[in-house]
Amino acid sequence: MNIKLKRCLEFLAVAVITFIVLLSSPFNPFMQNEFTAVQNEILDIARSVREGYLAYVEVDGIYGPVVYEFYGIGFLPTDTHTFQFAMEAVLDFFTVLFLYKTAKLYTSEIFALISAAFLSIFGWGALTHAGAEEIMFFIVTLTGYHISRQLKSGFLSHHAYLLAIDLGLVLFLQPAYVWLWVVLIIFFAVKFKVDGTEGKQYKSFWFSIIEGILTVAVPMGIYLWYFKNGEGFLNQVVYQNMKAIGSFGEGLKTVCGSPWIAFVGLFVVVMIIKTLMGENILDLCIWLGIIIVGIIVIALQGYEFGSYLQLSKALYLVPLASAFSLLDKPLGLKPEERIH
């Protein structure tokens, strides 16, 4: 198939999936969907920030400036939610796109699209009604792609840089989740060292991490310094988010009570089958470890598990795509091969 035609068809497929997801959005001007209490609170604070009130000083808030600035920008052109809907459409399009791009590393294009559609559409309104978790889901999706590319191809400086940017965004969005990214960076630092990555290239890994963190930290730091709300951010967001980390036992019970946890069992079965088929499953074993760490971090979060659990769906993409990959060979299909 002509490469341009193929990319056009992929774009249209991702756009269709995104359109279906957006039908459930409260921002959608053509639908009558109601905002959740959390969304209303976020929008009220975002509107106040756009009107000149200082977040964390004159207006309370438990999320980072990434959340309030994202939704606040939507109020600049108009007081309606039209522009916010357009912003959400772009966010969700790239979310679906990177779900597809990650799945395509493990299975064929058709099953990659099915995987992306299943995880983004299934659970009607769960993603678009999640408030701040909609942005978090996008970041976790991006992180999944950065992980998979480096597991498949080894150290790639731009993906290490982008992984660090993801960490920075999470720190200024919902800080209690940042531990997942800390573990990921430490893991890759150890992995690349064990793999025998050359000294100059290994230093490049750490430079990429530092550059990525500074890319987010510098403008956010200037923002907090200029508006003199850095102390409020530390007290109301960082401290409160860390303090809200709950009982691991209760959180794990809630996470494991979700039907999404079945993907972990499915993943183990897939790995056993692939081992019996003589395939190398090292990257899948690593992904299983990452999923377990992700489940632990999610289980430790506060009390609104209904929205928090949506984040695990991004982690379950690889198990789903790997399961579909078992059908590729019988059907004469294969996953995408990326070297650089």
Side-chain angles (χ1 to χ4, degrees), residues 9-283:
L9 292 175
E10 288 178 332
F11 174 86
L12 290 175
V14 171
V16 169
I17 296 171
T18 304
F19 172 77
I20 296 173
V21 171
L22 290 172
L23 290 177
S24 67
S25 173
F27 290 126
N28 192 331
F30 307 105
M31 306 293 290
Q32 293 183 342
N33 301 313
E34 295 184 359
F35 291 108
T36 64
V38 172
Q39 286 176 320
N40 277 321
E41 180 182 338
I42 290 174
L43 291 172
D44 287 343
I45 295 175
R47 184 182 285 106
S48 297
V49 169
R50 287 301 94 195
E51 291 175 352
Y53 292 93
L54 296 180
Y56 320 121
V57 176
E58 299 172 303
V59 181
D60 291 331
I62 61 171
Y63 298 111
V66 172
V67 178
Y68 301 127
E69 290 301 324
F70 176 81
Y71 289 106
I73 289 173
F75 284 122
L76 288 177
T78 173
D79 288 332
T80 67
H81 299 299
T82 303
F83 193 70
Q84 288 171 333
F85 178 65
M87 294 169 61
E88 183 182 51
V90 173
L91 184 72
D92 287 349
F93 175 84
F94 282 101
T95 297
V96 176
L97 176 63
F98 279 96
L99 284 173
Y100 169 63
K101 287 171 69 70
T102 302
K104 198 164 58 166
L105 296 173
Y106 295 90
T107 188
S108 57
E109 286 94 341
I110 183 64
F111 288 130
L113 279 172
I114 293 173
S115 299
F118 181 83
L119 291 176
S120 55
I121 296 174
F122 188 80
W124 183 253
L127 178 58
T128 55
H129 286 203
E133 274 71 29
E134 184 173 11
I135 302 175
M136 274 294 301
F137 189 88
F138 169 65
I139 296 174
V140 176
T141 298
L142 286 179
T143 294
Y145 183 63
H146 304 324
I147 293 170
S148 294
R149 283 299 312 279
Q150 296 193 93
L151 290 179
K152 293 288 186 181
S153 306
F155 170 61
L156 298 170
S157 61
H158 58 292
H159 282 288
Y161 169 73
L162 293 170
L163 181 64
I165 285 182
D166 293 344
L167 180 150
L169 289 173
V170 171
L171 181 61
F172 289 98
L173 197 159
Q174 287 180 286
Y177 285 109
V178 79
W179 301 114
L180 172 59
W181 280 263
V182 171
V183 170
L184 286 172
I185 289 174
I186 294 173
F187 161 73
F188 276 115
V190 174
K191 181 181 185 300
F192 294 144
K193 192 69 174 179
V194 172
D195 289 346
T197 303
E198 296 179 1
K200 185 176 181 180
Q201 197 173 30
Y202 192 68
K203 289 181 181 179
S204 178
F205 166 77
W206 285 112
F207 279 125
S208 297
I209 296 299
I210 294 171
E211 287 172 355
I213 292 174
L214 290 177
T215 298
V216 179
V218 170
M220 286 292 102
I222 293 174
Y223 167 87
L224 295 172
W225 169 78
Y226 182 80
F227 290 107
K228 297 179 175 60
N229 55 1
E231 183 178 353
F233 167 73
L234 291 174
N235 291 332
Q236 295 186 39
V237 181
V238 178
Y239 176 72
Q240 291 300 327
N241 269 259
M242 296 300 180
K243 183 181 178 182
I245 290 179
S247 167
F248 174 70
E250 289 299 315
L252 190 62
K253 181 180 178 181
T254 303
V255 173
C256 292
S258 165
W260 295 107
I261 198 66
F263 280 105
V264 177
L266 174 66
F267 201 24
V268 173
V269 172
V270 169
M271 288 193 293
I272 293 173
I273 294 174
K274 285 182 174 289
T275 300
L276 295 175
M277 294 171 63
E279 296 186 22
N280 185 345
I281 62 166
L282 178 60
D283 60 328

Side-chain angles (χ1 to χ4, degrees), residues 289-307:
I290 292 171
I291 290 171
I292 291 172
V293 173
I295 288 174
I296 291 172
V297 173
I298 293 172
L300 288 171
Q301 305 302 311
Y303 56 90
E304 294 180 78
F305 289 103
S307 59

